[in-house]
Amino acid sequence: METLKFKSTIKCTGCLDKVTPHLNKTVGADKWKVDLNDPDRVLTVEADGVTPDQVNNALADAGFSGEIIK
């Protein structure tokens, strides 16, 4: 299974509450996490067939953005 990492604009637990339904629908519950302690707010996704564009669209639908980390 591929792991994708994104530098995100998710900054706090309130942001997590807002983005959770979008990421759960796209990626699946318990298939993603955000490190709020990292200055880049790294979003880690267990991709399982999900593309970076799909993750970015889910973030955009919630009002956030992400940049894939290679």
Side-chain angles (χ1 to χ4, degrees), residues 1-16:
M1 181 179 309
E2 184 181 8
T3 300
L4 302 174
K5 292 188 181 239
F6 299 82
K7 179 179 175 181
S8 77
T9 58
I10 300 167
K11 297 184 188 295
C12 64
T13 56
C15 296
L16 281 176

Side-chain angles (χ1 to χ4, degrees), residues 6-67:
F6 299 82
K7 179 179 175 181
S8 77
T9 58
I10 300 167
K11 297 184 188 295
C12 64
T13 56
C15 296
L16 281 176
D17 291 343
K18 188 174 176 185
V19 79
T20 292
H22 299 277
L23 286 174
N24 283 353
K25 181 179 176 184
T26 302
V27 179
D30 299 323
K31 299 274 185 181
W32 62 275
K33 64 181 177 180
V34 177
D35 184 354
L36 294 177
N37 294 317
D38 187 302
D40 289 334
R41 307 299 196 256
V42 174
L43 164 64
T44 304
V45 175
E46 293 177 24
D48 201 19
V50 176
T51 67
D53 285 341
Q54 289 173 306
V55 175
N56 276 326
N57 289 339
L59 289 171
D61 287 346
F64 300 97
S65 64
E67 178 184 332

